Amino acid sequence: MNILVTGGSGYIGSHACVALLAAGHAVTVVDDLSNSRPEVLDRVARIAGRRPVFFEGDVRDRALLRRVFAASPIDAVIHFAGLKAVGESVAQPLRYYDCNVGGAIVLCEVMSECAVKTLIFSSSATVYGDPASVPIREDFPRSATNPYGASKLMIEDILADLAQADREWRIARLRYFNPVGAHASGLIGEEPNGIPNNLLPYVAQVAAGKRQQLSVFGNDYPTPDGTGVRDYIHVMDLVEGHLAALDYLLDKGGLLTVNLGTGCGYSVLDMVRAFETASGCPVPYALVPRRPGDIAACYADPALAEALLGWQARRGIEEMCSDAWRWQQQCAST
Ligand code: NAD
Ligand code: WQD
């Protein structure tokens, strides 16, 4: 099949391109390079032995999307393109709603025009807000505490309405927990702009000596060691979940909503220790007050994904940390 990957030069999108190419699909990428570099697709080609067709531009650009769909028949779309920084979304809500919600609407409109009605959407565990309990099941109540999360909620609702209105649509809403790690080649990985917001990229930069120490945001949470607990999932496991979702949609159709997580929760200090072991480098840290908006614990019940997709995450935190470290040493910011 020919799969259109929006945001395909980004962190998760580039790994999805590798997995799709390895599975024998042709890949077309649309990315405006607002948070990625074109060299990423050279590296995807080095790993996969084949190159995605690349269109540089914005998914809100209807004329561009029409050119993309006219250039070669597209069978399905995986929509990663969007803005994802929570703090930035609070400061720039209109930019986030326009890019994320507006982008999804224009994409679906052009897909509809071109009779391409198979879509996989990157949702997030952020749609569960502060869950009443863990592990989190897909039928838990949804809420948002910031414009980024609200944009994901809105898109989820728009896609449900679309699937309801036109039964030809086959739509997956995949709720990612905390994607980390990198492709085992060390050639592609997460490349944060400036000071990393997320834990693992920050820890990797401390281990590499680029930053002095990690600030651990809060050690008074009701968790085993007092630090925040999350469901870290290896990015290659995550993208393999997309291939399983694609197979499911082609077979069953309809609207699919599943968590992509491991079901295991690890604390900040668990991750620090795992990274020290994987890298052989110390990760000095300081305990500081909680980060506003953070929750104590967030991890998935992954049973539905396993039941419906036959998919489960296979890679543990050792592999997540060693692959992130290989990427950090070989290629990050080069
Ligand atoms: P990323 O920023 O690395 O990748 C997104 C890509 O989309 C970038 O290459 C960027 O240049 C591109 N892009 C942004 N706006 C665009 C637009 N309007 N038109 C075309 N291209 C555009 O982010 P990522 O971590 O790979 O995330 C991919 C998706 O997964 C996002 O939708 C994100 O919200 C979602 N998600 C990410 C996480 C995470 O922790 N990384 C967790 C849950 C959900
Ligand atoms: C993980 C843990 C922090 C940095 C965010 C978004 C979420 C999703 C994934 C897209 C927490 C602690 C972190 C640091 C720390 N993105 N931490 N020091 O907050 O679970 O989720 O990214 O959908 O929407 O909110 O991930 O990696 O920022 O934090 O102590 O320097 O690490 O407090 O407990 P989070 P994270």
Side-chain angles (χ1 to χ4, degrees):
M1 290 198 295
N2 187 15
I3 314 293
L4 171 60
V5 180
T6 74
S9 46
Y11 172 44
I12 305 170
S14 58
H15 292 80
C17 289
V18 166
L20 288 163
L21 291 165
H25 298 296
V27 174
T28 301
V29 167
V30 172
D31 197 303
D32 67 359
L33 303 178
S34 56
N35 199 34
S36 55
R37 296 182 297 135
E39 301 84 84
V40 171
L41 294 178
D42 299 334
R43 294 184 175 172
V44 166
R46 256 177 79 188
I47 298 167
R50 280 188 303 133
R51 169 174 290 277
V53 174
F54 178 51
F55 291 84
E56 180 178 343
D58 195 305
V59 288
R60 288 164 293 182
D61 180 346
R62 203 177 291 271
L64 167 76
L65 286 190
R66 287 183 176 139
R67 281 202 304 282
V68 171
F69 282 91
S72 64
I74 302 286
D75 298 295
V77 178
I78 308 184
H79 182 42
F80 294 107
L83 302 173
K84 64 165 181 178
V86 171
E88 195 179 64
S89 80
V90 175
Q92 303 172 24
L94 296 178
R95 183 171 160 237
Y96 268 67
Y97 289 122
D98 187 27
C99 180
N100 293 0
V101 183
I105 292 175
V106 172
L107 175 66
C108 289
E109 283 174 344
V110 177
M111 287 177 68
S112 205
E113 265 174 43
C114 301
V116 178
K117 296 186 176 178
T118 304
L119 174 66
I120 295 180
F121 169 63
S122 302
S123 190
S124 167
T126 193
V127 300
Y128 296 115
D130 191 353
S133 63
V134 281
I136 302 171
R137 281 198 323 268
E138 288 80 354
D139 59 358
F140 276 27
R142 300 175 314 151
S143 66
T145 50
N146 56 70
Y148 167 73
S151 76
K152 292 292 179 189
L153 276 182
M154 287 176 195
I155 300 166
E156 282 205 350
D157 289 343
I158 290 167
L159 296 179
D161 290 344
L162 187 56
Q164 179 68 33
D166 176 353
R167 298 303 173 116
E168 285 179 7
W169 277 90
R170 304 186 274 205
I171 298 177
R173 306 184 301 181
L174 303 183
R175 295 177 179 158
Y176 311 160
F177 280 69
N178 289 57
V180 296
H183 188 264
S185 63
L187 287 171
I188 55 173
E190 185 170 10
E191 207 147 10
N193 237 334
I195 302 172
N197 293 312
N198 295 115
L199 178 66
L200 248 270
Y202 203 106
V203 166
Q205 293 191 6
V206 173
K210 285 189 170 180
R211 301 194 184 274
Q212 259 188 343
Q213 64 177 15
L214 171 74
S215 296
V216 175
F217 299 141
N219 68 336
D220 56 352
Y221 285 108
T223 59
D225 66 15
T227 67
V229 165
R230 296 291 183 273
D231 187 337
Y232 298 95
I233 176 169
H234 195 294
V235 65
M236 290 308 298
D237 278 326
L238 185 80
V239 299
E240 286 164 15
H242 292 62
L243 295 188
L246 184 59
D247 287 344
Y248 175 94
L249 288 182
L250 296 175
D251 184 33
K252 301 271 189 331
L255 177 69
L256 169 74
T257 306
V258 289
N259 290 337
L260 293 184
T262 65
C264 301
Y266 289 103
S267 74
V268 175
L269 297 181
D270 290 334
M271 296 310 285
V272 166
R273 281 188 288 269
F275 210 92
E276 287 183 327
T277 305
S279 64
C281 298
V283 177
Y285 64 84
L287 300 171
V288 304
R290 295 179 180 192
R291 181 171 65 179
D294 274 357
I295 59 178
C298 174
Y299 55 91
D301 181 336
L304 188 65
E306 191 178 351
L308 295 180
L309 310 180
W311 168 90
Q312 70 188 123
R314 296 183 289 126
R315 299 161 176 92
I317 54 168
E318 301 75 18
E319 201 168 344
M320 299 177 204
C321 293
S322 57
D323 288 341
W325 180 236
R326 192 176 304 106
W327 154 251
Q328 175 67 42
Q329 284 187 298
Q330 282 185 19
C331 290
S333 309
T334 57

